[in-house]
């Protein structure tokens, strides 16, 4: 679904077929290099990501240096999810087919989404529903690099650079309901020779006075 904020076709993909087929075969690989993985874990520690945490669009590995007390991993492949040693619970769910998460309101202290936000075709709906399942004050942190499955990433992402990716994800937060103003950072230096790592995060808005 296109948004008035984005041009027609922004959320189209080269391969418009259902994601269930693409993700049917497990891929027990990492999608960023070891340094970028370490940078993700450091950011989670800096932001105090812990408690009941949801790893959104996750897989067989979650990049925490300090594992949260309870981690739920939502992804597309049951075998990948079953192989995740940090997962206390898993859920197979296609957010592009149904952006409503299969969880109750106020279920999680924090939500993370690592190198997957570029595949969302209905991101504003997803971000709004993440706000529903996140507890007030909880953080949604999206980390990403410049690597992806190009046939499944949205066209707007493929034709944008790193700084533009940060602006895109920041607009998702701004257009979704329930989030404070986002913060965006490049977490690896500009002259870094490995995979770049960028992040955008925001806190779930707390209810105002009655």
């Amino acid at each position: 679904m296109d948004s008035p904020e984005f041009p027609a076709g922004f959320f189209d993909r080269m391969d418009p077929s259902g994601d269930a087929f693409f993700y049917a075969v497990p891929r027990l690989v990492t999608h960023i290099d070891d340094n970028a993985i370490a940078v993700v874990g450091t950011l989670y520690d800096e932001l105090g990501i812990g408690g009941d945490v949801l790893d959104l669009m996750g897989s067989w590995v979650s990049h925490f240096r300090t594992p949260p007390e309870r981690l739920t991993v939502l992804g597309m492949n049951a075998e990948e999810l079953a192989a995740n040693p940090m997962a206390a619970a898993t859920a197979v769910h296609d957010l592009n087919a149904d952006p409503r998460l299969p969880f109750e309101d106020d279920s999680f202290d924090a939500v993370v989404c690592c190198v997957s936000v570029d595949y969302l075709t209905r991101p504003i709906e997803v971000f709004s529903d993440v706000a529903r399942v996140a507890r007030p004050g909880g953080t949604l942190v999206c980390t990403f690099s410049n690597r992806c499955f190009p046939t499944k990433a949205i066209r707007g992402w493929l034709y944008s650079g790193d700084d533009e990716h940060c602006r895109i994800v920041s607009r998702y937060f701004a257009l979704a309901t329930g989030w404070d103003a986002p913060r965006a950072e490049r977490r690896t230096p500009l002259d870094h020779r490995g995979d770049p790592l960028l992040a955008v995060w925001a806190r779930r808005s707390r209810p105002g006075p009655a």
Side-chain angles (χ1 to χ4, degrees), residues 15-189:
D15 176 6
S17 63
D19 289 341
F21 177 77
F22 183 81
Y23 292 103
V25 177
R27 296 175 174 87
L28 301 180
V29 298
T30 53
H31 301 285
I32 46 178
D33 63 27
D34 289 345
N35 181 76
I37 288 171
V39 171
V40 173
T42 298
L43 176 62
Y44 291 167
D45 282 353
E46 287 180 12
L47 296 177
I49 303 298
D52 289 324
V53 177
L54 172 62
D55 187 353
L56 198 67
M57 304 173 76
S59 181
W60 70 287
V61 59
S62 299
H63 300 315
F64 290 89
R65 293 199 318 177
T66 306
E69 286 81 353
R70 178 178 171 82
L71 181 66
T72 300
V73 185
L74 180 147
M76 287 292 297
N77 185 282
E79 185 174 334
E80 291 179 6
L81 299 179
N84 190 318
M86 292 188 185
T90 62
V92 176
H93 185 80
D94 183 352
L95 289 170
N96 288 335
D98 180 4
R100 185 172 177 85
L101 294 159
F103 308 111
E104 299 295 324
D105 295 0
D106 301 331
S107 292
F108 300 102
D109 297 306
V111 181
V112 300
C113 181
C114 183
V115 296
S116 294
V117 69
D118 42 322
Y119 302 116
L120 287 173
T121 61
R122 301 161 72 180
I124 298 163
E125 293 172 76
V126 171
F127 276 43
S128 294
D129 207 57
V130 172
R132 177 185 64 81
V133 304
R135 294 169 184 145
T139 301
L140 167 59
V141 52
C142 297
T143 51
F144 43 90
S145 187
N146 59 3
R147 295 169 59 183
C148 65
F149 297 122
T151 60
K152 282 299 183 182
I154 60 169
R155 291 187 187 276
W157 192 273
L158 295 177
Y159 291 106
S160 304
D162 290 342
D163 291 340
E164 292 166 302
H165 293 159
C166 287
R167 287 193 287 271
I168 289 167
V169 179
S170 295
R171 288 308 295 159
Y172 293 167
F173 276 112
L175 293 169
T177 57
W179 297 105
D180 292 341
R183 179 171 176 176
E185 286 186 1
R186 177 183 290 270
R187 301 291 296 187
T188 49

